[in-house]
Amino acid sequence: MLKKMNWLACSVLGFAMMLEACGGAEKDATEGAINAAQTAINAASSEAAKYVPDQLKSAQDTLRNAKDALAKGDYSAGLSGAKDATKKASDMVAAAAAKKQELMKEWTSLSESMPKSMEQIKARMDAYSHGARMPEGTDKSVLATAKDQYAQLKQAWADATAAAQSGNLGDAMQKATGIKDMLAKLKEMLGIKS
């Protein structure tokens, strides 16, 4: 009977050690996957923050959930979450690159047209200042308002250009949207047909 108990105890102990070894390997695999996902997210985060911040947040949240699962000992959920976070990081890199290229194309077009439009407005204001006939229904007060708005427009364009030069095309394009509206109103005010 004692031999049977020893054999049973040894069997249970051996089975427990085997489970622990398997659990250790599963834990190591999960930790490795989480670390790889963290590295992928960190590598993409600066560009993603500028161009696809929602995707960055989603990847970070998924990774946080994977870490929580690991901490609770749910290695399967942790490993699955880490794989999902890595996939999201990869998708995020592609989406950020596409968005950056799209914004670059828009910015290039705008940076060609905006200075021409601003020069056109300045030329018209100069002409009016030197006695050219103003459009019907406008007077010197409209010209003074236009000059003030033109100064604001120049400053806004300088700010947008500075944002673009610092690599923040999203911010530059956001500022440029307001500039386009100001430009259209100014042209209308001065009787410039687009």
Side-chain angles (χ1 to χ4, degrees), residues 8 26 93-94 126 142 154 167 172 194:
L8 188 58
E26 197 175 9
V93 168
D126 288 347
V142 171
K154 274 181 66 172
S194 295

Side-chain angles (χ1 to χ4, degrees), residues 132-168:
R133 186 166 177 247
M134 296 178 78
E136 192 172 311
T138 59
D139 58 19
K140 296 277 185 191
S141 65
V142 171
L143 184 58
T145 302
K147 286 181 178 182
D148 289 342
Q149 288 184 6
Y150 181 76
Q152 293 172 7
L153 180 69
K154 274 181 66 172
Q155 183 57 53
W157 179 245
D159 293 345
T161 301
Q165 289 172 345
S166 70
N168 196 345

Side-chain angles (χ1 to χ4, degrees), residues 8-87:
L8 188 58
C10 284
S11 295
V12 169
L13 183 62
F15 185 68
M17 288 172 62
M18 187 176 78
L19 282 177
E20 187 177 318
C22 288
E26 197 175 9
K27 180 182 178 185
D28 289 346
T30 303
E31 286 175 345
I34 286 174
N35 289 338
Q38 183 70 64
T39 300
I41 290 171
N42 288 348
S45 65
S46 72
E47 289 289 296
K50 291 178 193 174
Y51 303 111
V52 286
D54 293 342
Q55 287 184 350
L56 175 60
K57 184 180 180 332
S58 175
Q60 290 170 331
D61 290 346
T62 301
L63 182 61
R64 189 173 13 269
N65 292 338
K67 288 178 179 180
D68 290 345
L70 173 65
K72 293 175 185 171
D74 188 353
Y75 304 129
S76 176
L79 185 59
S80 175
K83 287 178 181 177
D84 191 27
T86 301
K87 169 111 175 60

